[in-house]
Amino acid sequence: MHNVNNIETESQETGRWRNFNSWIKRNFNYECYLNFLTGCYSCKLEAEQRKKSRRPLCCCSLLEILFYPWLLTALYLSVLLVFVWVESSNEYNGFDWVVFLGTGVWFFWSLVLLSLFGILAAYTSLLLVLGFLLCWEGKELYLHWYHKVYAPYLHLSSISVMVLLSWPVAFYLIHLEGEARIRRYKITSNERKRNKRCNMLTKLRALQVAVGLPFFLILLCLYVMPFGNYSPCIQEKDKLGPKPSFFGHRGAPMLGPENTMMSFEKAVEHGAFGLESDVHISYDRVPFLMHDLSLRRTTNIKEVLPNASLRHPSLFNWDFLSTLNAGKWFSHSQIKPFYHMKPLSEADKEKAGNQKIPKLTDLLELAQKEKKLVIFDLNSPVPKHPARKEFVRLVVNVILASGIEQHLIVWLPGFDRKYVRSTAPGFQHVGRLFTIERLTKENISRINVDYKRLFYNGLREYKAANININIYIVNEPWLFSLAWCSRIQSVTTDNIQVLNQINHPYFFMTPSFYMFMWILLDVVSAIFIFAVFYFHWWRESQSEKILKGISSYTETPSVSLQKENTENEAALNIMESPETLTKSVGELPGSQSVNPEPVQETTQPLMP
């Protein structure tokens, strides 16, 4: 009996310690998990939350309930803004230039903004996930004021498209299914009734839906996407137009300082069809090449005349302008104008460091020599400038006096076109995105438009009217390929050294080949995904069978031990009760009934 009691006591203590250890692991980790969520979301670590009962999902204050949709909206906008900014990579240099005009500091602000958008999008996503997990655990939401100020108003963007791979998704879904089956196998009927409202099985099913449903919806959309897909790069080979020609935007600004003779010479070396520039008029009526409305970015005027660095270029005489250096900023500065430009050779560095501001006649001389077109923006002088009212005629007379062939001039300015037509009838006139009726009336057969206009309808009406199209500014190979497939005649680019090496548009394929690849990939991917799901289901089912076998094996000894304990307890009760023992003996077969006499007590001491 003593041994039986010891065995029972030891087994009870072992069970208590096991339950206690599992309770420590379960509750300690769960409390750490809740404290982490509340600490990140509310900036509070409240340990007393473990004493509170689990709240329903709608336990938050009205202010928090109203604020959570704002957080969701901020995530959507941040995703959208990141997507737009990534797709606008072709405009990064222009954005950096605009920021420079306002700050006077040249830096890759576009990349800084891209990084900021990405960080803010990830930050908004984290807050959204934390809030969802807290609601899932039935905890009250209390978003800290810091998050409320910065999350919804500064987070204006980002891309919420996740590429879901079939292998991890299948593994996760089948694993959840196996976990649900195991819990259903272990759970008793009483526990099912007790946990009917909120149990682990419901959570597992919800997780399966949350992971599996988006995966299959995205997969279905990808399968049927070609029905509504249109791409100009999917066409027959004989319908592909000729390769667009190039206008060097301010020359070749990745190979030499912009709007310098070195830059234009580099553009000619890399096959430029035309040269693009910007013209200002000096105070003494000399047309020269300069893009900005001040000289501080591309010259050394801060060193020569710091107080005049913000003055308009047309307020300086040519004698002073011709002394400024227009290349050291490009060759000696640690911050380059383009973040992906290649390092210059020592010879090019030396040549770039000696560049000066060129006159318009210098560019015309090079264009006449190389038979290149010239297109330029003409900036009007400031008020009270001597050539304010006649700058167009001044420039036309300078062009005619240079001796360049008139058909090499692509006239872009819209000022005083009647005079230009009468004085220089050989100029090629270029319009903006005017109506076709206006272009026809003004006898304009070429337009110069922003490349983003290509995305609306491909400028089909202008192509149908046989109007040549030049788009600006195209620096990315994929964008140049799109222009090529869209039968655009010419592009203005900063990246001529790269685009000129493209001999075939990217992503080009015939409709029959695309159809073949579409059907083949759909079939192969469907078979592969089915095989992956089947593999994970088979492996999980094998694990479940092994677990059930182990459970049935361990259940039989426990039942035998329970029966043995019951018999032992019955035997102990019989030994402790004499009446029961007598009655049991009397009931034995072949025995006589015995009436024992009562035992009389005696007061005499026992003798040895």
Side-chain angles (χ1 to χ4, degrees), residues 201-484:
L201 295 178
T202 304
K203 289 187 177 182
L204 292 174
R205 293 303 185 192
L207 287 176
Q208 283 182 300
V209 173
V211 175
L213 185 60
F215 175 79
F216 287 106
L217 288 179
I218 293 174
L219 188 63
L220 179 61
C221 292
L222 291 177
Y223 282 165
V224 301
M225 182 179 293
F227 287 112
N229 184 30
Y230 167 75
S231 173
C233 289
I234 300 178
Q235 56 179 294
E236 299 295 341
K237 293 182 179 180
D238 55 352
K239 294 184 180 180
L240 180 64
K243 182 179 179 179
S245 54
F246 300 103
F247 279 91
H249 185 235
R250 308 173 201 169
M254 294 188 185
L255 304 175
E258 65 178 58
N259 278 327
T260 63
M261 295 311 299
M262 176 184 176
S263 180
F264 293 117
E265 291 169 357
K266 290 289 185 181
V268 171
E269 291 177 7
H270 287 82
F273 174 72
L275 304 173
E276 189 273 344
S277 187
D278 309 272
V279 177
H280 283 277
I281 310 296
S282 68
Y283 201 76
D284 52 351
R285 306 166 65 90
V286 177
F288 66 96
L289 307 183
M290 177 63 59
H291 176 267
D292 294 2
L293 300 181
S294 69
L295 303 171
R296 55 179 177 166
R297 182 174 68 92
T298 57
T299 69
N300 62 337
I301 192 172
K302 287 185 177 181
E303 301 175 1
V304 178
L305 203 62
N307 295 331
S309 61
L310 297 178
R311 291 175 59 185
H312 196 276
S314 63
L315 297 177
F316 296 94
N317 289 326
W318 174 247
D319 291 338
F320 172 75
L321 294 172
S322 62
T323 62
L324 296 176
N325 184 287
K328 286 185 178 180
W329 70 274
F330 181 85
S331 59
H332 294 80
S333 176
Q334 295 181 353
I335 302 177
K336 303 300 180 182
F338 299 90
Y339 66 91
H340 51 73
M341 61 180 291
K342 296 181 179 179
L344 299 177
S345 63
E346 293 299 327
D348 286 343
K349 281 185 179 180
E350 183 179 357
K351 185 177 181 180
N354 296 324
Q355 293 299 301
K356 301 292 185 179
I357 299 176
K359 296 187 292 184
L360 175 60
T361 54
D362 297 331
L363 176 60
L364 298 176
E365 182 180 351
L366 176 64
Q368 175 63 34
K369 177 183 177 182
E370 301 293 342
K371 303 301 180 182
K372 302 297 181 182
L373 298 181
V374 175
I375 184 173
F376 55 84
D377 286 309
L378 181 57
N379 295 276
S380 60
V382 295
K384 298 183 179 181
H385 190 279
R388 171 72 176 182
K389 298 181 180 180
E390 55 181 4
F391 67 96
V392 174
R393 302 188 179 192
L394 172 64
V395 171
V396 172
N397 293 331
V398 170
I399 294 175
L400 295 177
S402 67
I404 188 174
E405 300 175 29
Q406 291 190 17
H407 71 275
L408 296 178
I409 300 299
V410 181
W411 186 261
L412 181 60
F415 312 108
D416 207 355
R417 280 190 183 269
K418 291 184 179 180
Y419 171 81
V420 177
R421 288 185 182 277
S422 61
T423 307
F427 287 3
Q428 301 184 48
H429 287 262
V430 179
R432 304 289 184 178
L433 202 63
F434 304 144
T435 62
I436 296 179
E437 292 76 12
R438 178 179 175 182
L439 295 174
T440 304
K441 182 179 179 180
E442 297 183 6
N443 194 22
I444 296 176
S445 60
R446 185 192 297 264
I447 58 174
N448 187 50
V449 298
D450 192 337
Y451 77 92
K452 290 183 285 294
R453 294 288 182 177
L454 188 62
F455 298 143
Y456 298 121
N457 58 2
L459 304 173
R460 296 190 190 96
E461 63 273 17
Y462 296 95
K463 297 175 187 176
N466 294 323
I467 296 175
N468 292 334
I469 302 173
N470 179 77
I471 60 174
Y472 64 90
I473 302 169
V474 176
N475 293 332
E476 298 295 331
W478 69 267
L479 185 57
F480 175 71
S481 300
L482 179 62
W484 189 346

Side-chain angles (χ1 to χ4, degrees), residues 20-223:
F20 183 71
N21 290 334
S22 62
W23 180 86
I24 291 178
K25 293 178 181 180
R26 182 175 64 255
N27 289 275
F28 181 78
N29 291 337
Y30 181 70
E31 292 303 324
C32 289
Y33 167 69
L34 288 182
N35 286 335
F36 171 76
L37 295 180
T38 55
C40 294
Y41 194 84
S42 307
C43 297
K44 288 184 178 181
L45 294 176
E46 299 185 3
E48 67 272 9
Q49 287 187 354
R50 68 173 181 264
K51 299 179 181 179
K52 299 179 181 180
S53 60
R54 185 179 179 87
R55 296 187 179 96
L57 291 179
C58 53
C59 59
C60 310
S61 63
L62 180 61
L63 181 63
E64 295 295 336
I65 294 175
L66 294 177
F67 191 80
Y68 198 75
W70 281 96
L71 191 62
L72 186 62
T73 304
L75 174 63
Y76 170 76
L77 294 177
S78 62
V79 168
L80 180 62
L81 188 56
V82 168
F83 173 76
V84 171
W85 196 242
V86 169
E87 291 297 321
S88 303
S89 60
N90 192 76
E91 297 291 327
Y92 284 176
N93 183 256
F95 177 80
D96 296 337
W97 174 75
V98 172
V99 176
F100 170 81
L101 294 181
T103 62
V105 178
W106 181 264
F107 191 68
F108 299 135
W109 301 110
S110 55
L111 298 182
V112 174
L113 195 61
L114 178 62
S115 303
L116 181 62
F117 287 161
I119 293 173
L120 295 181
Y123 171 62
T124 312
S125 304
L126 178 62
L127 287 181
L128 198 66
V129 171
L130 291 174
F132 174 79
L133 293 176
L134 285 173
C135 288
W136 182 265
E137 296 298 335
K139 298 300 178 181
E140 183 178 1
L141 291 182
Y142 176 74
L143 190 64
H144 195 265
W145 66 267
Y146 179 88
H147 299 313
K148 291 181 179 179
V149 171
Y150 290 99
Y153 300 105
L154 295 183
H155 311 104
L156 301 175
S157 61
S158 114
I159 212 176
S160 79
V161 177
M162 297 177 61
V163 180
L164 300 176
L165 301 177
S166 60
W167 186 274
V169 170
F171 172 79
Y172 193 63
L173 290 178
I174 302 301
H175 179 72
L176 290 177
E177 179 66 21
E179 184 72 17
R181 290 182 180 180
I182 293 173
R183 289 181 178 273
R184 191 185 299 111
Y185 177 77
K186 290 183 177 181
I187 199 169
T188 63
S189 59
N190 293 331
E191 290 175 342
R192 288 178 184 175
K193 294 179 181 179
R194 185 169 59 252
N195 301 329
K196 185 176 181 180
R197 293 185 178 181
C198 180
N199 55 20
M200 186 58 66
L201 295 178
T202 304
K203 289 187 177 182
L204 292 174
R205 293 303 185 192
L207 287 176
Q208 283 182 300
V209 173
V211 175
L213 185 60
F215 175 79
F216 287 106
L217 288 179
I218 293 174
L219 188 63
L220 179 61
C221 292
L222 291 177
Y223 282 165

